[in-house]
Amino acid sequence: MPVYNFKKMGPVPSSTELVDIVLMRTQRRTPTVIHPGYKITRIRSFYMRKIKFTQQTIQERLGGILSDFPRLNDIHPFYADLCNTLYDRDHYKLALGQINTARSLVDSIARDMIRMVKYGDSLYRCKCLKRAALGRMCTVLKRQKAALAYLEEVRKHLSRLPALDPNTRTILMCGLPNVGKSSFMNKITRAEVDVQPYAFTTKSLFVGHCDYRYLRWQVIDTPGILDHSLEERNTIEMQAITALAHLTCSVLYFVDISEHCGYTIEQQCSLFRSIKPLFANKQLIVVVNKIDQQPWETLEKEKKDMVQGLADDANCTLMTMSNMSEEGVSDVKAAACDKLLASRVDARISGKKVDGVMNRLQVFNPAPRDNVERTAYIP
C-alpha cells in the first residue's frame, strides 16, 4: 500500500464561499444577454444552459471534496482506526454522506427545472424558472454549512499527520510518559522531537528516519500510555494503542529504573502486562533506560527481578542504555533492526511465493582442481 499523502488535499470552502464560487463562475462562463424578440427556442436554451452549467459546477466541486477525503473502508486499518480515534468514524462518514446527498439533490433539482423550462412560453417565465432553480441549488449548498466546516477542520488536521508507511521497516517506542522515548528518537534519527521534564510532552505520533545496513528505517515515537482500562484512555493515548495494534514493527518498551519519570517500577511493569496482548507477533525488546542515574548492577534485587521477569515472561530481550551518556543507544538500535530483519526474512521464506523462486535457483560449490595456490592477477 502507498504512503498516504494527506497534504495534497485541497481546502474545503465554506457554504457561502461555495455559493459565491458557483454563481460567479456561471455568470462568467455563460452568455449574459438575451432579448424578448428572440425565438422562444433560443430563450429556452439560454436559460437551460445556465441551469446545466450551475449543476455541473456544483457536481465538480462536491465530487472533488468527496474524492479527496480517504474512504475508511479502503485505506490501511491503521489509518482507519487513527481517523476513528481522532475524528469519530460515524461523524466523519455522516459529513461525507451529507455532501453526497447534496450532490444528488442538486442533480434532481436541475433535471426537474430543465424539464419545466422546456415548456416555458415566454422570456419572463423561463427567467423565473432559472432563478428558482439556482435558488434551490444554493439553498441545498447553504444547508451543508456544518458538514463543510467539519470536513475543513478534519482536512487541516489530516495534513499535519506524519507521512507514515504502515508496511515499511519500522521501530516503535512505547511506555509511560517521561521514560526517555523522545530522547532516544532524537539520538538515532534526524528528527527533533520536543523533550521536556513533564508528562505528555509528546501529544501525537512523530516519525523519524535512520539508516542501518544501507536500509532506510522508520522510527515512530508514540505518546505516553497510562495504566488504566481501554475505555478510560484519552485520544492521545489511543494513538499509541492504534499504532501498536496495526503496525508490523520492532517494539521497544522503555522502563525508567531511576523512577525520575514519576512512576515506580511496579507501575511500569503493570502497564507492560496490561498492553502485553498488543505485542503479539512483534519483535519486542525491553529497554532499561537512565542507567547513568541508577546503574542496573546496583538496582535492588526485588526490582531487578521484577524487570527481568517481564523479559522472561514475554520471551524477549532485555537491554540497558542511557540517553545522557549514550551508552548502549547504538546497541539497542542495532538489536531492534536485526530482530525485525530476521523476522521479515522468515516470513517471506515461510510464504508461498518463495517456492516459485527456489525452483529456479541452482547453487554450485566449485571444488579446487589442484593444490596450486594462484594469486590475484591484474593485467
Side-chain angles (χ1 to χ4, degrees):
M1 286 189 183
V3 180
Y4 302 100
N5 189 1
F6 298 124
K7 293 178 177 61
K8 289 183 178 177
M9 292 164 62
V12 180
S14 66
S15 58
T16 50
E17 288 172 353
L18 192 55
V19 168
D20 289 345
I21 290 167
V22 168
L23 295 182
M24 196 179 296
R25 194 172 176 206
T26 304
Q27 183 71 9
R28 289 171 59 190
R29 296 287 186 88
T30 54
T32 54
V33 179
I34 189 74
H35 295 292
Y38 289 166
K39 280 186 176 181
I40 191 66
T41 51
R42 184 173 175 183
I43 294 171
R44 288 172 186 160
S45 63
F46 173 86
Y47 287 113
M48 283 163 60
R49 182 176 175 185
K50 282 193 175 292
I51 296 171
K52 273 184 186 173
F53 190 86
T54 306
Q55 179 253 331
Q56 286 168 0
T57 306
I58 294 173
Q59 179 87 1
E60 182 185 315
R61 288 282 172 171
L62 297 184
I65 292 170
L66 291 171
S67 61
D68 272 356
F69 279 87
R71 295 181 62 180
L72 298 186
N73 295 335
D74 296 344
I75 60 176
H76 192 278
F78 164 71
Y79 275 116
D81 267 14
L82 190 63
C83 287
N84 186 28
T85 301
L86 296 172
Y87 320 119
D88 181 28
R89 182 194 300 266
D90 295 337
H91 195 174
Y92 177 81
K93 284 188 171 182
L94 200 63
L96 289 178
Q98 286 175 339
I99 300 299
N100 194 33
T101 305
R103 188 171 64 165
S104 305
L105 282 173
V106 167
D107 290 352
S108 65
I109 289 169
R111 195 167 52 248
D112 293 345
M113 299 308 283
I114 285 171
R115 194 181 298 125
M116 292 170 75
V117 170
K118 278 182 185 176
Y119 298 101
D121 55 2
S122 65
L123 185 144
Y124 176 73
R125 187 160 292 178
C126 290
K127 185 177 181 180
C128 287
L129 288 169
K130 185 268 294 184
R131 287 184 64 186
L134 266 59
R136 287 175 65 189
M137 289 184 204
C138 292
T139 302
V140 169
L141 291 183
K142 284 177 183 174
R143 284 179 183 158
Q144 307 311 312
K145 181 179 179 181
L148 290 169
Y150 168 77
L151 289 174
E152 173 60 6
E153 291 302 316
V154 170
R155 182 199 68 82
K156 286 178 185 173
H157 198 281
L158 277 173
S159 67
R160 292 194 291 270
L161 286 181
L164 190 151
D165 184 357
N167 297 306
T168 192
R169 295 167 291 273
T170 304
I171 299 172
L172 188 139
M173 296 167 287
C174 66
L176 280 154
N178 266 48
V179 292
K181 302 183 293 295
S182 300
S183 301
F184 177 73
M185 183 167 180
N186 289 343
K187 292 289 181 188
I188 68 169
T189 69
R190 291 177 282 276
E192 293 181 359
V193 184
D194 188 25
V195 178
Q196 298 294 341
Y198 51 81
F200 288 109
T201 311
T202 305
K203 292 186 176 67
S204 61
L205 299 176
F206 281 90
V207 177
H209 295 87
C210 66
D211 295 320
Y212 180 74
R213 288 196 178 178
Y214 305 105
L215 296 170
R216 176 57 58 91
W217 292 74
Q218 182 176 255
V219 184
I220 301 176
D221 181 21
T222 62
I225 308 170
L226 298 179
D227 185 19
H228 44 222
S229 65
L230 192 67
E231 293 77 19
E232 295 174 7
R233 291 202 164 104
N234 58 26
T235 304
I236 296 173
E237 295 172 89
M238 283 305 296
Q239 292 178 63
I241 298 296
T242 303
L244 274 171
H246 291 293
L247 298 179
T248 305
C249 55
S250 188
V251 178
L252 303 179
Y253 183 82
F254 279 74
V255 177
D256 177 8
I257 56 169
S258 70
E259 299 184 352
H260 284 190
C261 62
Y263 302 95
T264 63
I265 291 178
E266 289 86 350
Q267 289 173 306
Q268 297 178 63
C269 294
S270 175
L271 172 66
F272 181 90
R273 293 188 194 95
S274 68
I275 63 173
K276 188 179 174 183
L278 295 171
F279 299 145
N281 302 321
K282 291 181 175 59
Q283 308 309 307
L284 177 63
I285 297 177
V286 176
V287 179
V288 174
N289 195 18
K290 303 187 184 179
I291 58 170
D292 56 306
Q293 296 176 354
Q294 168 61 63
W296 174 245
E297 294 76 19
T298 61
L299 186 66
E300 296 172 23
K301 188 175 185 304
E302 288 180 11
K303 295 180 177 178
K304 202 172 185 179
D305 293 343
M306 202 180 296
V307 177
Q308 186 65 52
L310 291 183
D312 296 341
D313 291 345
N315 194 21
C316 64
T317 314
L318 186 141
M319 301 187 75
T320 59
M321 61 162 264
S322 166
N323 287 318
M324 286 294 289
S325 62
E326 297 192 6
E327 179 186 345
V329 170
S330 57
D331 294 339
V332 170
K333 171 189 164 185
C337 294
D338 286 337
K339 286 188 80 166
L340 187 60
L341 275 179
S343 73
R344 285 167 71 97
V345 170
D346 291 343
R348 288 186 180 177
I349 289 176
S350 61
K352 294 180 181 178
K353 288 185 179 179
V354 75
D355 295 334
V357 178
M358 294 292 278
N359 292 337
R360 298 198 297 270
L361 293 179
Q362 283 183 299
V363 180
F364 294 96
N365 295 314
R369 63 186 180 191
D370 49 38
N371 296 326
V372 178
E373 187 177 340
R374 293 175 176 81
T375 57
Y377 172 69
I378 301 174

